[in-house]
Amino acid sequence: MNKVKRNVVTVTVLLFVCAAVYLNWSYNNRWGTADSAMVEAEDDAMTQAKQDYEDAMKDEGVTVPSYFATARLTRQEARDEALNLLEMTATSENASQETIDSAMNAISAMATYSLQETQIENMLIAKDYADCVVFVSEDGVTVTVPAPTEGLSPDAVARITDAILSETDFAMSQISVIEIKE
């Protein structure tokens, strides 16, 4: 009788474990992966805002110090706009769970990128750069720094790259350094 009870309990526990594994698997497959379209839309908006800004700066002949302040402001405005769109999507009554999860993942990615940008900018300013602007996306890192008329030295580029590599998981090929001539 004890063997029968033990076997019944063992089979029951195994059934519960199998059911839990199946439910976990089906839940993960049902929701799928993060919606890359939302993250891509945010990246496209940021890239377009950056390009529009650079075009406007060329037309207006903006000085170097105001370039960095304006670039930061433009980056923040674009990010705020994307964040508002994502928050509206996440709180929409008609949104599917997949859309909500995707929006939350994109918001989390934006927060991570923003923190990395701030940390890299602070490190570069501590390494004797008067100012800089960093933009992090899923594709890589773009950093804009003031440069003398002869350009940045290889040592300066190495210091910039080192700061970026210490704060992110990107490869050297995903780092872009833009020089703003003083």
Side-chain angles (χ1 to χ4, degrees):
M1 184 78 159
N2 281 340
K3 281 188 176 185
V4 173
K5 283 183 181 179
R6 184 176 58 187
N7 288 342
V8 169
V9 169
T10 303
V11 168
T12 304
V13 169
L14 283 174
L15 284 174
F16 282 130
V17 169
C18 289
V21 168
Y22 173 75
L23 290 173
N24 188 29
W25 175 80
S26 65
Y27 175 79
N28 286 333
N29 283 340
R30 186 171 120 207
W31 299 123
T33 59
D35 184 13
S36 62
M38 286 202 154
V39 175
E40 189 174 316
E42 185 248 333
D43 287 346
D44 290 344
M46 292 293 286
T47 302
Q48 185 61 43
K50 179 181 170 190
Q51 186 61 45
D52 291 346
Y53 172 76
E54 288 173 355
D55 292 343
M57 291 301 106
K58 287 179 187 175
D59 294 341
E60 295 176 14
V62 174
T63 62
V64 172
S66 66
Y67 168 83
F68 292 104
T70 308
R72 266 193 223 86
L73 180 62
T74 302
R75 177 186 67 191
Q76 189 60 44
E77 288 173 348
R79 189 155 283 153
D80 289 345
E81 185 178 318
L83 184 60
N84 286 338
L85 179 65
L86 290 168
E87 287 175 344
M88 286 181 358
T89 302
T91 58
S92 173
E93 292 178 11
N94 300 330
S96 67
Q97 186 62 41
E98 181 177 349
T99 303
I100 292 170
D101 290 344
S102 178
M104 296 308 286
N105 288 341
I107 290 170
S108 175
M110 286 174 56
T112 300
Y113 294 157
S114 183
L115 180 63
Q116 288 174 333
E117 289 166 353
T118 302
Q119 289 172 331
I120 293 168
E121 287 174 356
N122 289 337
M123 288 178 71
L124 291 176
I125 290 171
K127 290 184 179 200
D128 294 332
Y129 287 94
D131 208 349
C132 64
V133 176
V134 177
F135 175 70
V136 179
S137 71
E138 67 181 11
D139 298 326
V141 179
T142 302
V143 61
T144 306
V145 295
T149 52
E150 65 273 3
L152 293 173
S153 68
D155 182 53
V157 174
R159 284 185 295 168
I160 293 168
T161 305
D162 180 53
I164 294 169
L165 292 175
S166 69
E167 292 298 323
T168 67
D169 294 329
F170 291 106
M172 293 274 290
S173 62
Q174 295 173 298
I175 297 173
S176 175
V177 177
I178 299 172
E179 302 175 13
I180 301 297
K181 302 292 184 187
E182 295 179 331

